[in-house]
Amino acid sequence: MSILRILTYGDDRLQTPAKAVEKITPEIRKLIADMAETMHAAKGVGLAATQVGVMARLCVVNPEAREGGGEETSKPAGHRVFINPQIIWTSDEDVPMSEGCLSLPGIEAEVFRPSAIRVRYRDERWQVREEEMSGLLARILQHEIDHLDGVLFVDRVGFVRRHVLAGQLRKLRKERESIFVPAALAGDKG
Ligand code: NI
């Protein structure tokens, strides 16, 4: 397994919808293992394939990473995999929750989303499953499915909050350009 580089704000791939996974291949299995390792290393609660530059509709989640309160535990890190996840029902009530994102380091904002959802997806054995969920898992999955549609949580905050975040977002975009794009290639956006 290997740890993958997580794309940060300003990379066009984070705002591009991913394509459905057609079948489980050795490459997809390796991608899932690498994404799980990457998420655990970054202490994230979820990671979508688009965040590591692979435009495939799958994500890994681990709500326990947050419930553990950031303490080191001896418990082995677990994760769940959702392939081609689709929200087929949402509760009527939208509730606020503070969100962050591995692709937007240092930024947090309150986002309103349905408190419960029903999701249809395929598991790692390619079985179709449906599951109703609420609380943190429902929140994480909605955030990750947004990633697969090319949507970031900052796209869902209110106008005023978005205005407050604008400076931080500009800074992230600049940092990404100065770190990852050599000056000679600055005009060549892949
Ligand atoms: Ni995210």
Side-chain angles (χ1 to χ4, degrees):
M1 294 202 293
S2 42
I3 291 180
L4 308 169
R5 185 164 73 76
I6 297 172
L7 306 180
T8 55
Y9 185 75
D11 191 302
D12 292 343
R13 287 169 290 184
L14 289 173
Q15 287 170 302
T16 306
K19 295 197 169 76
V21 177
E22 281 172 11
K23 58 179 178 180
I24 299 280
T25 61
E27 290 75 23
I28 291 288
R29 279 188 210 287
K30 179 165 186 344
L31 173 66
I32 290 169
D34 288 347
M35 282 172 58
E37 193 182 8
T38 303
M39 173 179 65
H40 291 310
K43 299 195 192 305
V45 292
L47 186 68
T50 48
Q51 290 180 275
V52 294
V54 180
M55 308 316 284
R57 295 190 75 87
L58 74 90
C59 62
V60 294
V61 307
N62 179 30
E64 286 163 22
R66 186 182 291 180
E67 283 150 11
E71 283 171 42
E72 296 296 332
T73 61
S74 53
K75 204 174 69 169
H79 67 271
R80 296 189 55 192
V81 181
F82 293 86
I83 301 169
N84 299 337
Q86 215 184 338
I87 296 172
I88 54 173
W89 171 84
T90 64
S91 59
D92 291 335
E93 193 198 8
D94 281 2
V95 292
M97 197 185 280
S98 178
E99 293 189 24
C101 182
L102 295 173
S103 294
L104 292 137
I107 295 186
E108 267 188 38
E110 196 165 77
V111 182
F112 280 81
R113 298 186 193 266
S115 57
I117 57 173
R118 188 166 185 85
V119 179
R120 183 180 294 148
Y121 65 98
R122 285 186 185 267
D123 66 14
E124 280 175 285
R125 292 179 303 156
W126 205 240
Q127 300 298 306
V128 177
R129 297 190 175 278
E130 274 188 26
E131 187 176 329
E132 200 167 311
M133 54 186 78
S134 59
L136 187 56
L137 181 59
R139 175 61 56 150
I140 296 168
L141 217 55
Q142 289 176 85
H143 176 116
E144 301 311 327
I145 291 171
D146 264 359
H147 272 303
L148 301 178
D149 291 329
V151 175
L152 300 172
F153 79 93
V154 289
D155 299 329
R156 291 197 180 274
V157 304
F159 177 78
V160 173
R161 181 70 183 142
R162 175 81 190 207
H163 190 73
V164 172
L165 290 176
Q168 278 176 282
L169 291 173
R170 234 187 339 265
K171 191 161 161 270
L172 272 184
R173 192 185 280 275
K174 274 219 174 85
E175 276 169 10
R176 187 191 78 87
E177 283 168 2
S178 65
I179 293 168
F180 295 116
V181 184
L185 298 173
D188 176 25
K189 302 266 173 173

